[in-house]
Amino acid sequence: MRLGIFGGSFDPIHNGHLLVASEASEALRLERVLFITTARPTHKTPIAPPEARHEMTVLATADDERLVASRLELDRPGPSYTVDTLEGLHRGWPPPLELFFITGADAYNDVNTWHQAERLTELAQLVAVTRPGYTYRMDPFFSSRVHTLEIPGLEISSSMIRSRLREGQGIRYLVPRLVEEYIVKHRLYR
């Protein structure tokens, strides 16, 4: 099994996240991409509660059989460390299992500060997603161990969506329709 791991706070999940997963799935010949909603990220504090962020991820991934929303980090106590997630997947999935940890290239700017960062390269192939013209810097240990995947650029971010909502602006076409409806119904990010 070639399994993509796409973790994040997804606060909220948006069409850029879905594009990344779709492009990675095709380029890396992945059978599935797990969207793992981080319950308690160590590098930021999400606005929406973990369950709401996960429910939006379920809605966003429902119509693509390659994409699967996972509760792995939500159901585990304590902080959310990527190394623990990857180890848990190796224990929970039948072999042979090949993991591809997918994240934005910007996250690799400080990957050397992550919990047991060097162990990540033993557990998964690391994939840095970037867009045309984007440059990033990386710790030398990781620069030769991270694969770069360039995808079409979508200038969408969760923080931009939250800002638009606070300012009373629309988010249609930035997030899946069901996610937009969920945000409105639950009055998130106002």
Side-chain angles (χ1 to χ4, degrees), residues 19-83:
L19 176 64
V20 165
S22 179
E23 292 288 311
S25 177
E26 290 180 20
L28 302 170
R29 298 179 330 278
L30 304 176
E31 295 171 55
R32 296 275 182 276
V33 176
L34 290 185
F35 277 74
I36 300 179
T37 307
T38 307
R40 292 161 294 284
T42 56
H43 288 82
K44 63 172 116 176
T45 304
I47 306 298
E51 288 299 329
R53 293 183 287 109
H54 176 69
E55 288 174 23
M56 288 186 281
T57 303
V58 169
L59 293 170
T61 59
D63 66 349
D64 188 334
E65 64 186 20
R66 301 170 302 167
L67 311 181
V68 179
S70 170
R71 296 190 54 86
L72 183 64
E73 289 192 4
L74 294 175
D75 295 338
R76 186 177 63 221
S80 298
Y81 294 119
T82 301
V83 68

Side-chain angles (χ1 to χ4, degrees), residues 14 18 20-21 24-25 30 32 41 57 61 83 91 93 107 114-115 118 127 130 139 153 159-160 174-175 182 188 190:
H14 54 70
L18 299 174
V20 165
S25 177
L30 304 176
R32 296 275 182 276
T57 303
T61 59
V83 68
R91 284 190 304 271
W93 286 70
W114 295 11
H115 181 69
E118 292 181 5
V127 180
T130 187
D139 180 272
S159 59
M160 181 259 291
L174 300 176
V175 299
Y182 185 95
L188 296 174
R190 303 281 173 182

